[in-house]
Amino acid sequence: MLKVTKFGGSSMADAGQYRKVRDIILSDPHRRVVIVSAAGKRDSSDHKLTDLLYLCHAHTKYGVACDSVFDMITSRYLEIRDELGLQLDLESEFAELKKRLDAKQVSEDELVSRGEYYSAKLMAAFLDFEFVDAADWIRFNMDGSVDTEYSYPALKQLGHGKGIVIPGFYGAMPDGRIRTFS
């Protein structure tokens, strides 16, 4: 038996929520596929990281620096990592993403997908599960529909009995470009 679980943004908001998710996952050995969202709001005055990523893209699109917004995003993920005591190098990934963002080499879809991507990287490390990038198995057709002939067989090849964590919200076009679900 295999159980697939999905956790939304409020479940990924901070280290305390990650601990709750871990306890849920580990309470049932059949829960071996975990899909996560980007970090959501910690309280009513907070921001969803997906919203901040959209804001960062808008800033860049119109030639406005997004350094402070980008710092808010990276700080949240680094705070979660550090509070969980994980040894995971996110700084180099953030630096590369910021470099590409400043050079306008990151599409809006790719940028906003990074919220789920980083949540999944952290949760995989926290659970000692395998991280599987959604872009490696979810393929879209050119019309935006999911290519089930590619995606479903690819999904069956994942994990091989080990738990996996997958970012939600996106996949890849036939040419490899990141595309988010509508």
Side-chain angles (χ1 to χ4, degrees), residues 26-39:
L26 297 181
S27 71
D28 183 343
H30 298 292
R31 292 182 178 131
R32 293 193 319 269
V33 177
V34 181
I35 302 169
V36 298
S37 293

Side-chain angles (χ1 to χ4, degrees), residues 5 9 25 27 34 36 43 52 64 69 74 78 129 131 141 149:
T5 57
I25 297 301
S27 71
V34 181
V36 298
D43 57 56
L52 293 176
V64 177
V69 177
T74 59
L78 294 175
F129 279 21
F131 168 79
N141 293 309
E149 290 182 23

Side-chain angles (χ1 to χ4, degrees), residues 106-123:
V106 179
S107 71
E108 181 179 54
D109 279 2
E110 182 181 359
L111 182 61
V112 299
S113 76
R114 298 304 83 183
E116 278 75 9
Y117 174 88
Y118 293 123
S119 287
K121 294 276 278 201
L122 287 167
M123 185 53 74

